[in-house]
Amino acid sequence: MNERNENADIALMTEIATLYYTEGETQEVIANRLGISRVKAGRLLKRAQAEGIVDVRVRQHPAVSAEIEQALRRRFGIKRALIALDHADSDVQRANVASLVADHLSRQLSEGAIVAVGMGRNVGAVADNVFEQGQRQCSFVCAIGGSVRAGEYMNPDHICRRLAIKFGGDSETLYAPALVQNLELRDAMYENPTIRQTLDRARRADLALIGIGDLSENSNMVRMGWFTPQETAEARLSGTVGDMMGYDFIDIYGRPSMTPMQGRVIGLTITDLARIPDVIAIAAENTKAAGILGALRTGVIDTLATSVTNAHTILRLDEATRVDGKLD
């Protein structure tokens, strides 16, 4: 197919999708209006969705979302819970959760706001699900260093740039590796003026976007080879259930884990995050319920974005790990 025919098809798909989804016309009416068969109209509608011209999102009924949100807010003292429908495809589920966060950002970001940005697939998906927002002159600042193994999609500097394009404003890179060999090297790098300047700006953020990690075989840290299989196995045995933004490993009660993996990542700490007015934690994967529960129990999270299954599992797991109504 030549370029002219391809452009004509794109224009026709866009027109059909607009008539069907925006104006509520039936496929039969659209076919008659455009002088094509109903079969062709249906085929072009499906193609429009496959090629990204149409983005169909099914949202949970507000009453159901409100009930789950209220339960999480009462239990953990958070401000908001953004709960997405479950989906068998992990990429679709991640996009569903990310779209709720993107909508939240669109409502909350004001002119000149500073956003501290973490790394990972869930945080990266937020940037992909933001519709163009115009110029708000926001600043998106890396809250953690970068990693070659993470690739462009998951690295915080690339995520910051994508968000800056969508919302307008600027992005700021943290010129440091995400992971170093030991605590001493990390502390020495914190003395670098360039690194200190960026982290100080991230600490003054109005919002933070962070991921919650786990220690499953599919976790970012395991896949990127940050830690050895022996280190992650020992961390699990010591009670580690997850991490917040790639560091600050925690147990299920939200306490720091006693693991040698601790203290090797350059970025904001839990103490830093606690000073940010709206810390938005994103975790779509259903393997992360224990990690999410531990993160919620730190008291740092203000807005949680996750799936229906995770939300129910977290509430049940919270009940199961309390003794006489109190944390063990």
Side-chain angles (χ1 to χ4, degrees):
M1 182 183 293
N2 60 40
E3 185 176 348
R4 180 178 295 179
N5 289 339
E6 179 68 20
N7 289 339
D9 269 5
I10 291 173
L12 184 57
M13 282 189 288
T14 303
E15 184 175 5
I16 291 172
T18 301
L19 290 170
Y20 187 77
Y21 289 104
T22 304
E23 298 185 15
E25 299 287 5
T26 65
Q27 292 185 27
E28 185 174 356
V29 169
I30 293 170
N32 291 336
R33 182 184 297 188
L34 300 179
I36 59 177
S37 69
R38 188 180 181 283
V39 172
K40 183 175 182 179
R43 186 170 64 247
L44 289 173
L45 265 178
K46 290 182 180 178
R47 186 178 160 195
Q49 186 173 347
E51 296 190 10
I53 295 172
V54 174
D55 181 13
V56 179
R57 298 177 182 179
V58 179
R59 300 196 186 278
Q60 192 163 233
H61 191 281
V64 178
S65 294
E67 183 178 346
I68 300 173
E69 177 178 354
Q70 287 173 10
L72 290 167
R73 289 173 63 185
R74 285 194 303 267
R75 190 75 59 87
F76 302 106
I78 59 177
K79 298 174 184 175
R80 286 294 311 274
L82 309 173
I83 310 300
L85 289 171
D86 293 297
H87 197 284
D89 186 306
S90 60
D91 291 332
V92 174
Q93 181 157 315
R94 188 175 301 113
N96 289 344
V97 173
S99 70
L100 295 180
V101 179
D103 291 345
H104 178 74
L105 281 179
S106 300
R107 293 189 301 270
Q108 298 298 318
L109 278 186
S110 56
E111 187 79 14
I114 299 175
V115 182
V117 179
M119 70 158 46
R121 290 173 291 184
N122 285 292
V123 179
V126 174
D128 293 341
N129 283 274
V130 175
F131 294 105
E132 296 290 342
Q133 296 293 321
Q135 298 299 308
R136 299 196 193 185
Q137 301 306 314
C138 299
S139 294
F140 298 90
V141 184
C142 292
I144 184 174
S147 171
V148 173
R149 293 181 179 179
E152 291 188 4
Y153 184 79
M154 293 193 299
N155 259 312
D157 58 332
H158 289 275
I159 299 171
C160 284
R161 291 171 197 169
R162 299 202 303 273
L163 287 167
I165 290 171
K166 296 291 183 69
F167 284 102
D170 61 85
S171 64
E172 183 171 336
T173 299
L174 177 59
Y175 290 103
L179 180 73
V180 293
Q181 292 178 326
N182 52 58
L183 178 62
E184 292 73 24
L185 180 56
R186 187 202 69 173
D187 289 345
M189 295 195 73
Y190 276 168
E191 296 301 316
N192 179 280
T194 301
I195 294 173
R196 187 168 60 244
Q197 176 179 308
T198 299
L199 286 177
D200 283 345
R201 194 173 185 214
R203 292 184 181 104
R204 298 194 301 272
D206 302 287
L207 298 95
L209 287 176
I210 71 167
I212 297 173
D214 63 356
L215 295 180
S216 70
E217 293 180 358
N218 195 40
S219 70
N220 284 338
M221 289 182 298
V222 173
R223 290 187 303 106
M224 291 189 296
W226 277 19
F227 302 103
T228 67
Q230 182 179 351
E231 286 177 315
T232 53
E234 289 175 353
R236 284 196 292 267
L237 288 173
S238 71
T240 304
V241 295
D243 67 88
M244 296 176 68
M245 204 164 61
Y247 51 86
D248 277 331
F249 293 93
I250 52 177
D251 66 16
I252 200 166
Y253 300 103
R255 301 174 303 211
S257 294
M258 298 298 104
T259 168
M261 294 163 61
Q262 203 75 274
R264 293 169 53 187
V265 173
I266 297 175
L268 299 187
T269 64
I270 285 181
T271 302
D272 294 325
L273 292 173
R275 300 189 184 102
I276 296 174
D278 189 5
V279 175
I280 306 166
I282 314 155
E285 298 83 359
N286 291 339
T287 58
K288 293 185 175 181
I292 298 169
L293 177 57
L296 285 168
R297 286 172 168 175
T298 66
V300 166
I301 295 171
D302 300 288
T303 301
L304 173 67
T306 192
S307 67
V308 172
T309 291
N310 273 342
H312 287 299
T313 303
I314 291 161
L315 290 167
R316 290 195 299 269
L317 193 56
D318 180 63
E319 289 286 350
T321 53
R322 289 173 178 264
V323 177
D324 296 327
K326 298 179 180 179
L327 295 182
D328 186 15

